Amino acid sequence: MDSNVFQTSKMKTLFQLAACTFVILSLIHLVSSEEHVCETSAYPPDEKNLVPTYVVNLDLSPLQRWAPLVIEKRHMLHSLIDDVTDLMESLAGKKIFSTIMKNLDSLAATLPYPYYEEIIGIAGYSNLPPSVITMYNVFYEVFTLCTSIVAQDADGNIFHGRNLDTGLFLGWDKKNKTWKVAELLHPLTVNLQFEKEGKIIFESTSFVGYVGILTAVQKGSFSLSLNKRFSWNGGFMGLLEWILFEDHSQSWVSFLTREVMQEAKDYEDAKQILSKTRLLAPVYFILGGTKPGEGCIITRDRDHFELMNLWTTKNGSGSWYLVQTNYDHWKQAPFFDDRRTPANQCMVDGGAKNASVGLIYNVLSTKPVLNKETIYTTLMSAQSGEFSSWLRYCPDPCLPW
C-alpha cells in the first residue's frame, strides 16, 4: 500500500475513533445529568490558582520584547511542543507532518509586522525552530473551545467573563484522567500587561510564546474575548488561500484582536473594526463596554457579520446578559456539546439583580461549562479596569465537556 494512502487511512481511523469516544461520553452525560446544578459558591476563587502577571514592553524591538518571559518558561514550552509534535506525527505520519512543518517556515515569513519578528525572537530565546512557534501560534484556529458571558446589572455596569477550553482530544492521560495538552498549558498561562512609554495600553490572558490576543481589556474602553466558530469556509480555507494564492488581504483573527486592543479608541470603534475587517477564519467576537447597553456578540464568517447586542435578544428573560459558546446563537446547540443551556439556565437563576463578576464566575464554574479542558477563567470590567484570571481544574466526576 502507498505510504500516503496508509497515513491518510490511519488519520481517518483515529479521527473516527475520537468521534465515537466523543459521542459515547456525551450520551453518558445526557443520561446521567438531565438537569444542571448551578454552582453558587465557587466565587471568590482560591488565590493559589491566580494567574501570574508579566509585562510586555512594546517600546522594545519585536525580537526582544518576549525574551524575559520566554527564557523563564522555555522548559515548559518545550514540554508542550514535544507533546503536541508527537501527537501530530502520530495522526498525520512523520512524512506528512514534516511537509507541513516545512511549509510553516515559508508561512512564517509572510506574517505581517511585528508578528513574524516576534515569532523569530521567541524561537531564538526558546531554542525552538520558527516553524514550531508558528504552529503554536496558529493552534487556536484548530483546537480551541470557549464560553463567554457579558452581563449588565441594575445600575448599568457591564461585566465580562470567559472560560478558555482547549486540548480537544489532544492526548488523554489515563492515570490522571486529564487531557495532556490542557495540563501542559496550565503552567504556560500568564496575564500580560502590554506597556508603551511606561503606560499600560491593555491587559491580556495568554500563553507563553503566543503573540495573538484571545482575552483582553482596555481600561476605560472595552473588554474582548474571542471564541472559535465552526464553518465550512473555515480557517483551513483561509490558510490555503494565504499560502497558495498569496491572498494577504485577509487578517489573522488573533492578530486583528491585538491590533484592536492597541489601536481602537473605544467600544464602538472596536465593534466596527471587528465587524467589517476581512478575516482568515470565522469567529465569535464578544465585547463589553463601559456604558449601559454596551455588550455584544459579533458572529463572523470571513466576509460578513451578524450582531446581537445586550437588550435586543428575543428572549426577554435573558436580555440583560449574553452567552456565547462555539455555536451560532440562533441555532440549537448540539446535544454532544451543550454548554449554552446550563449557562443560560444559571444566569437566569442568578437573576439580573445579582449581575456581577461573582455570578459570572459561578456560572463558568458550573459543569459542563467547566470541564476537563478548561484552562482558565478570566473576569473583566472595562469600566473599573478589573482584570483577573485563575487556572481551572475540574474535579471528578467531570467529563471532557
Side-chain angles (χ1 to χ4, degrees), residues 63-97:
L63 290 168
Q64 297 175 323
R65 60 182 54 147
W66 295 99
L69 178 56
V70 170
I71 291 172
E72 179 181 334
K73 301 279 189 177
R74 62 186 171 194
H75 296 301
M76 300 173 188
L77 185 56
H78 273 261
S79 296
L80 174 66
I81 294 296
D82 289 345
D83 193 79
V84 171
T85 298
D86 289 343
L87 180 66
M88 296 299 287
E89 281 188 349
S90 68
L91 290 174
K94 288 188 177 182
K95 186 175 181 180
I96 295 175
F97 183 74

Side-chain angles (χ1 to χ4, degrees), residues 95-168:
K95 186 175 181 180
I96 295 175
F97 183 74
S98 177
T99 301
I100 292 172
M101 298 309 292
K102 288 178 181 178
N103 285 330
L104 285 177
D105 275 327
S106 58
L107 169 65
T110 67
L111 297 179
Y113 179 88
Y115 309 114
Y116 171 65
E117 290 77 7
E118 291 186 5
I119 286 172
I120 293 300
I122 291 168
Y125 287 111
S126 64
N127 295 322
L128 287 166
S131 58
V132 301
I133 301 300
T134 303
M135 176 186 71
Y136 181 56
N137 274 273
V138 301
F139 203 66
Y140 161 77
E141 307 295 345
V142 184
F143 293 112
T144 310
L145 298 174
C146 320
T147 302
S148 294
I149 301 174
V150 178
Q152 178 176 312
D153 69 9
D155 296 321
N157 298 307
I158 305 296
F159 307 101
H160 189 165
R162 72 107 92 253
N163 280 357
L164 187 136
D165 307 340
T166 194
L168 179 60

Side-chain angles (χ1 to χ4, degrees), residues 370-381:
L370 177 70
N371 55 76
K372 285 184 180 289
E373 292 173 347
T374 305
I375 309 299
Y376 66 78
T377 298
T378 296
L379 300 176
M380 303 177 276
S381 167

